[in-house]
């Protein structure tokens, strides 16, 4: 009698366990994605990742990997990819697509594609994902140190700013775009960046060159920096840190950084991954990006409150005035340019 | 009977060593050989297998980076020897309680991440930092002066980061010296400084040698401190490798530079060790 009871309960237990395992397996699909860490990742979780998890009952694993690292990882894992969705902010999606690392997305697979500005979905034809945010590079300046806001890229050569200029290394996407813009302002183009390099070499003795965003903050906070060509979103980060920093778009225009969401090729869950990419394009999420980090929306239905709209590039006209550099050419030449740049700056 | 137990203990030893060896082969030797192989894969099809190495020597740029890396490592090592020896001697010869306190003070910095310690140095060395303020107040430097982004700054920060390794390794050697030898020297009329120079220092050479090899190897391959304190305009080899691997994505050239760095370290360490062995044996 007792033995029978044990047998029964053991049976029930096994059944219960089997049931649990089966139900979790059915309900919890997993997507592995990258994000860019820090405040970006916090906003990413709040605006896209967590709502998506709730809506589709999936488990999203977020790995912190910046664009260049992400591309390195995708390449290293080419035979056996470990990510479902890859976010890039430095044009790396173009290389990744060309190397067959990305799964093409067609326009009708994205519910929100029609709401986006044309430039945001143009890449789909070449196998890259849509642009869900834009960061523009302009001038960050210390409002307490400078009486008037800089108006032009040429203002960097203002003698009054000597010793208080922060430039960013070419290994940083914003630094690269700043150099290309300086080059364009000085009469160069993508076939010839020598005018840009020459112009920067005049600044070497009166500036410091940093690699990363935190170093810019550190220079504004401790190293008496006044002006730095950098991104609109980082101006907000500096203000949040209590520094008297404003962002201006110089009259010659601002190079744009496109932040894209891409589906990795060769994974089982590509349909779900596409849904995730689509979910990133919602106007609601894009307004959230502008609020949290001052990125510009690419969804034309995203309406920003007036105060916020003044702090970011916003609207059809502003978007049309963004300066972009052919990512294919930039990617092809980047190594050569890095070499030229390193030789120019090294003491 | 004894043969069986001998075989059995050998089998146990093999069993015990297997996980470690497997980890070493899979996690270190295999990737290391992959990098070695990658260095010989030419970037373009018509280039030879040495092309990645040739690129290193075509002009002065990478040799300049190598020269800076080597020079800084030698300076850092020399300073840690000079500072590490007295620290080690004082710790070795102090009473048990003081000894414990000093030991903890020496080792404690190692408990903090090198990144955190480096950021500390960045603040100290920057324009608004305390060190600059002191130098400026003393009338030694201009207001715009900063040690941040200078080679002096790199050396200062690296010495602080690596000093514990030197002190602890030298301490081992000094502790092994019989204090009666020192006492004998003193009773024979040797002054404190002469006994330190003629007795303690020669006997602690093995510790100083292994300490300086450790510090040299760590500083020649160090990456975080030189790149944060020195900045982009003072590149060292490890940074150059990192940049090729992650920014320009030229893994083959990065691999060639890694192999070159390894050869450089071995070219210095192997003769050094051989010389020491001959001297001691």
């Amino acid at each position: 009698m007792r033995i029978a009871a044990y047998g029964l309960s053991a049976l029930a237990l096994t059944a219960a366990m089997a049931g649990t395992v089966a139900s979790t397996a059915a309900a919890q699909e997993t997507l592995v994605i990258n994000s860019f860490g820090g405040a970006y990742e916090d906003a990413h979780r709040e605006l896209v990742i967590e709502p998506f998890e709730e809506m589709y009952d999936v488990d999203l694993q977020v790995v912190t990997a910046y664009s260049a690292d992400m591309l390195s990882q995708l390449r290293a894992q080419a035979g056996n990819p470990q990510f479902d969705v890859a976010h890039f902010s430095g044009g790396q999606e173009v290389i990744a697509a060309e190397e067959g690392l990305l799964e093409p997305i067609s326009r009708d697979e994205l519910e929100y594609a029609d709401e986006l500005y044309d430039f945001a979905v143009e890449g789909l034809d070449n196998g890259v994902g849509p642009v869900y945010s834009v960061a523009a590079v302009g001038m960050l300046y210390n409002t307490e140190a400078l009486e008037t806001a800089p108006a032009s890229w040429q203002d960097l050569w203002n003698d009054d700013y000597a010793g208080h200029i922060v430039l960013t290394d070419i290994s940083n996407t914003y630094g690269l775009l700043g150099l290309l813009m300086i080059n364009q302002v000085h009469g160069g183009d993508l076939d010839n960046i020598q005018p840009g390099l020459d112009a920067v070499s005049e600044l070497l003795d009166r500036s410091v060159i940093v690699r990363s965003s935190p170093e810019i903050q550190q220079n504004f906070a401790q190293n008496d920096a006044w002006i730095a060509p950098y991104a609109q979103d980082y101006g907000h980060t500096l203000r949040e840190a209590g520094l008297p920093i404003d962002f201006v778009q110089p009259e010659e225009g601002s190079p744009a950084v496109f932040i894209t969401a891409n589906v990795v090729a060769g994974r089982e869950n590509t349909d779900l991954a596409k849904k995730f990419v689509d979910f990133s394009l919602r106007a609601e999420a894009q307004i959230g990006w502008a609020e949290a980090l001052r990125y510009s929306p690419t969804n034309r239905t995203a309406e920003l409150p007036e105060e916020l709209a003044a702090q970011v590039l916003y609207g059809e006209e502003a978007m049309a005035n963004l300066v972009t550099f052919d990512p294919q050419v930039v990617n092809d030449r980047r190594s050569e340019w890095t070499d030229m740049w390193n030789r120019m700056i090294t003491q | 009977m004894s043969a069986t137990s001998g075989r059995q203990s050998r089998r146990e030893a093999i069993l015990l060593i297997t996980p470690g060896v497997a980890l070493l082969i899979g996690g270190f030797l295999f990737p290391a050989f992959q990098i070695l192989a990658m260095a010989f894969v030419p970037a373009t099809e018509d280039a030879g297998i040495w092309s990645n190495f040739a690129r290193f020597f075509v002009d002065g740029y990478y040799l300049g980076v190598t020269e800076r890396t080597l020079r800084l490592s030698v300076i850092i090592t020399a300073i840690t020897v000079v500072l590490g020896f007295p620290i080690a001697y004082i710790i070795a010869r102090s009473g048990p309680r003081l000894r414990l306190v000093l030991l903890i003070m020496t080792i404690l910095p190692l408990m903090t991440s090198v990144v955190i310690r480096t950021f500390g140095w960045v603040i100290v060395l920057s324009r608004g930092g305390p060190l600059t303020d002191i130098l400026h107040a003393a009338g030694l430097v201009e207001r715009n002066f900063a040690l941040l982004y200078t080679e002096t700054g790199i050396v200062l920060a690296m010495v602080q980061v690596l000093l514990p390794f030197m002190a602890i390794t030298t301490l081992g050697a000094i502790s092994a010296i019989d204090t009666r030898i020192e006492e004998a020297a003193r009773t024979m009329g040797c002054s404190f400084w002469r006994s330190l120079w003629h007795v303690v220092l020669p006997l602690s050479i093995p510790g100083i040698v292994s300490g300086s090899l450790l510090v040299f190897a760590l500083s020649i391959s160090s990456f975080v401190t030189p790149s944060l304190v020195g900045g982009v305009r003072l590149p060292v080899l490890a940074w150059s490798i990192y940049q090729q691997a992650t920014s320009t994505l030229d893994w083959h050239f990065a691999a060639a530079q890694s192999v070159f760095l390894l050869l450089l370290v071995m070219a210095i360490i192997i003769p050094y060790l051989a010389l020491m062995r001959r001297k001691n044996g």
Side-chain angles (χ1 to χ4, degrees):
Chain A
M1 196 52 198
R2 194 176 279 174
I3 293 168
Y6 277 135
L8 254 178
S9 62
L11 205 71
L13 197 68
T14 322
M17 277 165 67
T20 325
V21 172
S23 69
T24 29
Q28 282 284 25
E29 276 188 288
T30 305
L31 284 183
V32 184
I33 68 168
N34 75 312
S35 188
F36 305 138
Y40 189 95
E41 199 163 304
D42 293 341
H44 208 169
R45 281 181 195 278
E46 189 190 327
L47 297 170
V48 184
I49 296 166
E50 279 160 13
F52 186 80
E53 280 181 325
E54 236 166 74
M55 183 172 275
Y56 291 93
D57 192 23
V58 286
D59 177 34
L60 286 187
Q61 288 176 16
V62 185
V63 178
T64 301
Y66 289 106
S67 308
D69 283 342
M70 188 62 211
L71 179 60
S72 307
Q73 292 200 36
L74 284 189
R75 277 181 163 172
Q77 300 163 355
N80 179 25
Q82 302 295 313
F83 284 90
D84 294 291
V85 175
H87 297 97
F88 291 113
S89 65
Q92 286 86 353
E93 63 278 353
V94 179
I95 318 182
E98 205 174 60
E99 293 181 8
L101 300 170
L102 300 182
E103 168 91 7
I105 308 170
S106 77
R107 212 172 268 237
D108 40 282
E109 280 174 304
L110 300 176
E111 196 184 324
Y112 298 102
D114 294 337
E115 295 179 7
L116 302 190
Y117 294 118
D118 288 342
F119 74 83
V121 281
E122 267 168 8
L124 295 182
D125 302 334
N126 300 321
V128 307
V131 182
Y132 68 95
S133 272
V134 172
V137 177
M139 290 294 166
L140 297 179
Y141 70 101
N142 184 321
T143 53
E144 284 172 9
L146 301 194
E147 281 177 10
T148 50
S152 156
W153 284 89
Q154 301 283 9
D155 283 349
L156 283 175
W157 284 264
N158 185 333
D159 287 337
D160 295 344
Y161 303 163
H164 302 283
I165 304 164
V166 183
L167 301 175
T168 308
D169 189 60
I170 196 171
S171 60
N172 178 304
T173 303
Y174 293 145
L176 173 65
L177 291 174
L179 170 67
L180 293 178
M181 191 65 204
I182 286 170
N183 180 51
Q184 183 166 308
V185 168
H186 284 83
D189 56 35
L190 293 190
D191 289 325
N192 176 24
I193 64 155
Q194 200 58 46
L197 292 175
D198 290 343
V200 172
S201 75
E202 285 172 31
L203 293 179
L204 286 182
D205 289 338
R206 43 166 99 179
S207 62
V208 296
I209 303 178
V210 301
R211 264 175 220 128
S212 62
S213 311
E215 287 177 275
I216 291 191
Q217 174 167 355
Q218 187 261 323
N219 268 285
F220 272 116
Q222 274 132 15
N223 220 15
D224 202 14
W226 293 353
I227 184 165
Y230 212 64
Q232 70 180 19
D233 51 286
Y234 202 64
H236 179 63
T237 309
L238 294 177
R239 273 192 299 277
E240 295 277 282
L243 294 165
I245 304 296
D246 254 351
F247 172 85
V248 286
Q249 181 183 26
E251 60 199 19
E252 298 93 340
S254 301
V257 171
F258 291 162
I259 307 177
T260 60
N262 306 274
V263 175
V264 178
R267 292 282 287 181
E268 283 180 4
N269 275 340
T270 47
D271 285 341
L272 189 63
K274 282 174 185 171
K275 278 190 191 137
F276 179 81
V277 168
D278 197 25
F279 198 75
S280 312
L281 307 175
R282 289 167 308 132
E284 193 189 337
Q286 299 215 350
I287 295 168
W289 282 115
E291 271 170 1
L293 298 167
R294 301 300 187 273
Y295 286 115
S296 300
T298 60
N299 187 320
R300 58 164 66 85
T301 69
E303 284 189 27
L304 301 186
E306 203 170 321
E307 193 190 343
L308 194 55
Q311 292 182 7
V312 298
L313 300 186
Y314 167 63
E316 195 111 24
E317 201 181 328
M319 290 299 118
N321 288 331
L322 290 172
V323 178
T324 53
F325 299 100
D326 183 349
Q328 192 68 59
V329 180
V330 172
N331 285 323
D332 289 347
R333 295 264 165 92
R334 193 166 184 164
S335 173
E336 179 194 333
W337 291 342
T338 302
D339 224 36
M340 292 165 80
W341 167 268
N342 283 342
R343 280 155 209 268
M344 191 263 299
I345 61 166
T346 298
Q347 282 172 350
Chain B
M1 191 64 189
S2 72
T4 324
S5 73
R7 207 177 304 144
Q8 194 173 342
S9 76
R10 191 175 307 154
R11 196 184 306 144
E12 281 163 359
I14 291 172
L15 265 177
L16 281 173
I17 208 173
T18 305
V21 170
L23 191 68
L24 199 65
I25 291 174
F28 176 70
L29 285 181
F30 179 65
F33 275 105
Q34 239 180 343
I35 286 179
L36 187 67
M38 205 185 273
F40 291 96
V41 177
T44 53
E45 275 182 18
D46 43 312
I49 56 164
W50 294 102
S51 62
N52 294 315
F53 293 94
R55 192 175 153 193
F56 200 86
F57 296 99
V58 284
D59 61 23
Y61 177 73
Y62 291 103
L63 293 177
V65 174
T66 310
E67 187 264 337
R68 186 200 321 280
T69 312
L70 264 178
R71 179 164 42 85
L72 290 180
S73 305
V74 169
I75 294 172
I76 291 160
T77 310
I79 297 178
T80 52
V81 170
V82 172
L83 297 180
F85 179 77
I87 294 176
Y89 184 77
I90 291 166
I91 296 177
R93 294 292 176 255
S94 49
R97 191 171 297 171
L98 183 62
R99 188 189 163 106
L100 185 68
V101 172
L102 290 175
L103 253 180
I104 289 173
M105 278 170 61
T106 313
I107 297 172
L108 209 56
L110 293 179
M111 306 290 164
T112 319
S113 146
V114 65
V115 179
I116 309 277
R117 278 187 289 161
T118 302
F119 270 118
W121 275 108
V122 167
I123 292 170
V124 171
L125 299 174
S126 65
R127 209 175 274 177
L131 189 61
T132 319
D133 284 350
I134 293 168
L135 290 174
H136 178 58
L140 293 172
V141 297
E142 296 169 46
R143 192 184 63 89
N144 273 357
F145 175 85
L147 277 170
L148 191 64
Y149 310 126
T150 63
E151 289 189 354
T152 314
I154 300 181
V155 170
L156 266 173
M158 289 289 293
V159 164
Q160 192 266 331
V161 167
L162 295 176
L163 192 56
F165 292 99
M166 179 64 82
I168 299 303
T169 323
T170 312
L171 174 63
I174 297 179
S175 305
I177 301 171
D178 193 334
T179 47
R180 284 173 302 181
I181 299 177
E182 253 178 286
E183 284 158 13
R186 296 299 297 276
T187 49
M188 298 292 186
C190 213
S191 75
F192 169 72
W193 296 107
R194 285 189 62 177
S195 82
L196 202 62
W197 182 255
H198 291 289
V199 179
V200 183
L201 190 64
L203 286 172
S204 49
I205 287 287
I208 295 175
V209 167
S210 43
S212 46
L213 284 181
L214 188 63
V215 168
F216 181 79
L218 287 172
S219 57
I220 203 169
S221 58
S222 68
F223 163 70
V224 175
T225 309
S227 71
L228 287 178
V229 174
V232 275
R233 298 191 61 199
L234 300 169
V236 293
L237 261 183
W239 160 250
S240 175
I241 294 168
Y242 176 80
Q243 196 181 34
Q244 297 294 340
T246 64
S247 173
T248 51
L249 303 171
D250 190 343
W251 287 13
H252 301 292
F253 188 44
Q257 289 187 62
S258 311
V259 172
F260 181 76
L261 179 61
L262 182 68
L263 289 178
L264 205 64
V265 173
M266 291 195 331
I268 288 163
I269 287 182
I270 291 174
Y272 206 52
L273 282 179
L275 198 72
M276 282 305 139
R277 189 163 301 151
R278 202 178 321 147
K279 214 172 172 184
N280 294 331

